């Protein structure tokens, strides 16, 4: 029998979410099992319908369903609408609310794990895909001074920049040529890689969006890529004397944000991180 809380994706075997979510539930004495559901695209609608059942709490949503679930829920939060993806569905008395915690998860990761507040700084986000959308959405709320979006396909960076432009928040869109990057990267104190450069098993695992010679020593370099935990980009940030921060913290904090909205309680953050760190050490 299915539990009332879990994560769904396809495939789902790789997920580490149940490890830290279960640690959180146990610590708070919530008697639920956080399950992992392998849901093929053709079964998605039927699965989501079961989330309306009395007692059902919430589902974390991962690849490839983050967009496909959007028309299947009853209501989308502003974050889900803006990011264009749902990574949590909450059952509120039979009404399904689709939400997105990737952006807020990123900000908490930056503040609570890297000790960095983006207010007033110059930032460069590499990439203009799904992770970039969530991060640009989040940075917009922080009072970041200047934001540059650098992407291989310039047009996608331009679309993202113009979609989120509002008031004083006017991101600049550039391509990924070294010459162009050199006009922005050295002056940024926050660099965020959201491209798949550096991702294990991808075509460019040993690549980086920026090299040490163009990175300033007072920079925090956050890599949304979490596998491997230490990417080429993070090594370049370190070599430049900056502070590297890997994407696992964003992944866990998006889950922690969802946990808190699902349970209505503050998450035992340290216990949840200890659980994932232990699982990663033994995997
Ligand atoms: P996506 O929507 O497919 O976007 C991929 C991005 O990478 C695009 O900007 C793409 O540029 C760029 N790119 C791909 N190959 C490239 C190359 N060879 N050279 C330069 N740019 C290249 O993917 P996504 O969902 O945003 O995910 C991106 C990464 O973030 C993945 O590694 C994913 O695991 C990670 N991620 C982490 C978290 C977390 O919680 N830590 C959450 C979400 C995603 P073009 O537009 O030019 O194709």
């Amino acid at each position: 029998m299915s539990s009332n809380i879990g994560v769904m994706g396809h495939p789902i075997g790789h997920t580490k979410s149940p490890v830290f979510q279960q640690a959180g539930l146990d610590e708070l004495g919530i008697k639920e099992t956080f399950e992992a559901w392998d849901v093929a695209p053709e079964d998605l609608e039927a699965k989501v319908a079961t989330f309306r059942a009395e007692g059902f709490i919430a589902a974390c949503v991962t690849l490839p369903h983050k967009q496909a679930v959007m028309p299947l829920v009853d209501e989308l939060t502003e974050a889900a609408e803006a990011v264009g993806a749902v990574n949590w569905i909450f059952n509120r008395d039979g009404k399904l609310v689709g939400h997105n915690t990737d952006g807020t998860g990123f900000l908490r990761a930056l503040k609570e794990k890297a000790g960095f507040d983006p207010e007033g700084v110059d930032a460069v986000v590499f990439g203009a895909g799904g992770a970039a959308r969530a991060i640009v959405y989040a940075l917009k709320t922080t009072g970041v001074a200047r934001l540059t979006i650098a992407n291989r396909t310039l047009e996608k960076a331009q679309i993202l920049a113009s979609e989120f432009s509002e008031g004083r928040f006017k991101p600049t869109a550039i391509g990924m040529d070294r010459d162009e990057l050199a006009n922005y990267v050295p002056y940024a104190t926050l660099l965020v890689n959201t491209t798949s450069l550096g991702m294990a098993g991808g075509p460019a695992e040993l690549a980086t969006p920026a090299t040490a010679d163009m990175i300033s020593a007072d920079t925090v370099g956050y890599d949304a890529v979490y596998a491997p935990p230490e990417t080429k980009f993070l090594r370049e940030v370190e070599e430049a004397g900056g502070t590297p921060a890997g994407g696992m913290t964003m992944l866990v904090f998006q889950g922690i944000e969802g946990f808190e909205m699902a349970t209505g309680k503050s998450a035992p953050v340290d216990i949840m991180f200890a659980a994932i760190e232990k699982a990663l050490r033994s995997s």
Side-chain angles (χ1 to χ4, degrees), residues 127-131 151-153 156 194-197 199 224-225 247 250-251:
N151 195 46
R152 177 178 62 177
T153 310
K156 284 199 209 160
T194 74
T195 73
S196 20
L197 295 177
M199 194 172 81
V225 173
M250 173 177 167
L251 193 72

Side-chain angles (χ1 to χ4, degrees), residues 213-253:
D213 54 311
M214 62 167 82
I215 298 172
S216 156
D218 60 357
T219 296
V220 166
Y222 193 91
D223 203 335
V225 173
Y226 51 84
E230 195 190 274
T231 59
K232 170 86 169 142
F233 171 60
L234 294 180
R235 285 194 295 276
E236 297 291 330
V237 171
E238 192 156 30
E239 195 185 318
T243 309
M248 185 52 75
T249 54
M250 173 177 167
L251 193 72
V252 177
F253 270 120

